[in-house]
Amino acid sequence: MCIRDRYQRRVRGPPCSAMGQCATSKACCEKADDGQTWVAPEALPDPASWWKLSGGRAKSETSKSTYKMYLARAQLPQHEHTEDLVSKDMSRTSSLFDPLVALVMESEGVPADAIQQDIAMVVRTKMAMAGRVLRAVAVRNPRLGYAQEFGRAVVAVVGVVPEEERCFWIICAILEDILPYNLCTADAPAFRGIQILAKVLQARCKDLTATKEVPLEFWTTVATRFIPTLMVGELPTALMIRTVDAMMCGSGWAGFAALFGVALAVIRRFLLRFPANECWDVFKYVSKLPADDSISIMEEAATISPSEIRGEMDKHHLELLRLWNLPHNTPPVSYTHLRAHETPEHLVCRLLLEKKKKREQ
């Protein structure tokens, strides 16, 4: 697959000027052979393409509830705990917004001194938007609820997409359709997706670790901080945006394969350059990746087959089921998962029982 098909989009518009600026994308681009223009890797993606390609628009059109309805339900007393968790995590996530917001403002032509002056206010606005989106996502998807790492995952979307409602539906598409189910469920033993992913990453790097002893904790840590968080805060900002863009363009297992491919390419580069006893420094290495590596990393990611990744994850899934003596055809069910499938009648009964228990206490 051509890397251009993987993480760049064609845009119709007039030819680029002598200064290299395209009137359609407002970004540096190059002329293709067929008269269309290619958006350069350095250009920020078009938020409208994320809205369409991720499946967010389709979800908004088919959902019986609107974003405002989910947000209103998030204000109910039973969701106060989620609101507290989101507020605490957003304060820890604020630093991740800074480089992304600066990149977006720079792409819009904002002078450097104005960026320094206004960035704090813009980041506060983005943080408030992200908090509302996360609370609404938790209401829509009780089986997922809210986990701390979700705060990282929304940074890329909220930072690039200006419309709050579109951010919500794009995040829903990522968590529900692109990332595998077990990868996002925080309740044990359902949270085995990370262990499965760690096994797949380890198997893919077997040729590099044959003479090194890399502990399993390394693969688990890398899997946790690379995939569910979309590598926000780990990769350099520009490469992280390209990675999320490739994931959006792929959607489903193809999108997950793009995300997995970038993580695998980065890990393989690190293992080639550093001995096993320094494996915990991978995150320091990743944050300082040379700019020249970005294109080759994306090219390697484009070679990953979605069907192969799915097959490998299914294989390790079955191995873990046998290890834990769980039935192969019975997925683990958490309390939040049961809550997600209760009918309105079950909800009324449960609330009445909970109210009765409180009175008896």
Side-chain angles (χ1 to χ4, degrees):
M1 180 183 294
C2 177
I3 187 58
R4 285 179 167 176
D5 294 335
R6 190 63 168 165
Y7 75 101
Q8 296 176 323
R9 291 164 308 286
R10 292 184 172 192
V11 292
R12 297 280 183 182
C16 299
S17 65
M19 296 298 293
Q21 294 295 319
C22 175
T24 302
S25 64
K26 297 181 181 180
C28 185
C29 32
E30 58 177 302
K31 191 82 171 292
D33 296 337
D34 56 3
Q36 292 178 320
T37 49
W38 292 106
V39 179
E42 292 76 13
L44 283 175
D46 178 14
S49 69
W50 282 14
W51 170 237
K52 178 182 178 182
L53 296 172
S54 67
R57 185 176 72 177
K59 282 190 174 293
S60 70
E61 293 172 350
T62 56
S63 176
K64 295 180 179 178
S65 300
T66 64
Y67 171 59
K68 290 183 179 179
M69 293 170 65
Y70 289 122
L71 201 56
R73 286 160 58 186
Q75 308 302 320
L76 297 176
Q78 59 262 38
H79 298 294
E80 286 181 357
H81 180 62
T82 300
E83 185 173 356
D84 292 341
L85 288 177
V86 172
S87 299
K88 291 177 183 177
D89 289 343
M90 280 297 99
S91 62
R92 293 193 286 264
T93 311
S94 60
S95 60
L96 301 177
F97 277 103
D98 291 343
L100 181 55
V101 168
L103 187 64
V104 172
M105 294 176 72
E106 183 181 354
S107 70
E108 294 173 349
V110 180
D113 55 346
I115 292 176
Q116 293 296 326
Q117 183 178 352
D118 299 337
I119 190 170
M121 180 185 66
V122 176
V123 167
R124 283 196 299 270
T125 303
K126 293 288 187 182
M127 285 174 55
M129 183 191 303
R132 291 190 294 270
V133 167
L134 286 169
R135 290 196 292 272
V137 168
V139 171
R140 172 180 166 85
N141 236 319
R143 74 173 177 84
L144 295 178
Y146 175 74
Q148 180 177 343
E149 299 302 336
F150 290 175
R152 284 174 171 258
V154 303
V155 168
V157 178
V158 173
V160 172
V161 181
E163 298 89 353
E164 184 172 328
E165 185 170 354
R166 290 191 173 189
C167 286
F168 167 75
W169 291 112
I170 292 172
I171 292 296
C172 288
I174 292 173
L175 296 179
E176 296 170 16
D177 300 336
I178 297 178
L179 295 181
Y181 168 77
N182 283 330
L183 210 57
C184 296
T185 307
D187 297 274
F191 191 53
R192 58 172 172 253
I194 290 296
Q195 299 180 51
I196 297 169
L197 189 60
K199 292 282 188 181
V200 176
L201 287 170
Q202 187 178 22
R204 287 267 176 163
C205 296
K206 189 175 293 185
D207 59 317
L208 299 178
T209 57
T211 58
K212 303 177 183 178
E213 291 188 8
V214 182
L216 181 60
E217 291 80 3
F218 167 78
W219 303 106
T220 306
T221 304
V222 168
T224 304
R225 290 177 62 175
F226 273 13
I227 305 296
T229 63
L230 314 186
M231 286 177 275
V232 173
E234 307 299 346
L235 290 182
T237 304
L239 179 55
M240 180 267 293
I241 289 296
R242 294 177 210 168
T243 301
V244 176
D245 188 38
M247 181 188 70
M248 298 287 193
C249 294
S251 73
W253 275 100
F256 178 73
L259 184 63
F260 176 90
V262 172
L264 179 64
V266 171
I267 293 168
R268 288 184 64 85
R269 275 169 171 70
F270 173 79
L271 292 174
L272 278 169
R273 299 183 187 185
F274 292 91
N277 58 358
E278 296 181 10
C279 64
W280 294 108
D281 291 334
V282 62
F283 301 107
K284 294 180 182 179
Y285 164 74
V286 171
S287 63
K288 299 176 181 178
L289 274 173
D292 296 342
D293 281 359
S294 298
I295 293 178
S296 59
I297 287 173
M298 298 304 301
E299 287 176 344
E300 286 184 34
T303 64
I304 299 293
S305 167
S307 59
E308 287 182 7
I309 293 299
R310 184 171 188 175
E312 290 175 28
M313 292 193 72
D314 288 344
K315 172 188 171 184
H316 289 290
H317 187 190
L318 291 175
E319 289 177 357
L320 286 175
L321 288 176
R322 284 193 289 268
L323 179 64
W324 296 332
N325 294 319
L326 293 174
H328 292 189
N329 58 350
T330 305
V333 178
S334 65
Y335 177 65
T336 52
H337 179 75
L338 293 174
R339 288 276 300 274
H341 295 280
E342 65 183 358
T343 65
E345 292 78 11
H346 294 156
L347 174 63
V348 171
C349 292
R350 180 171 59 79
L351 293 177
L352 288 173
L353 287 172
E354 290 178 358
K355 187 175 181 181
K356 181 180 178 181
K357 287 181 181 179
K358 287 181 181 179
R359 285 179 178 176
E360 291 176 351
Q361 292 174 354

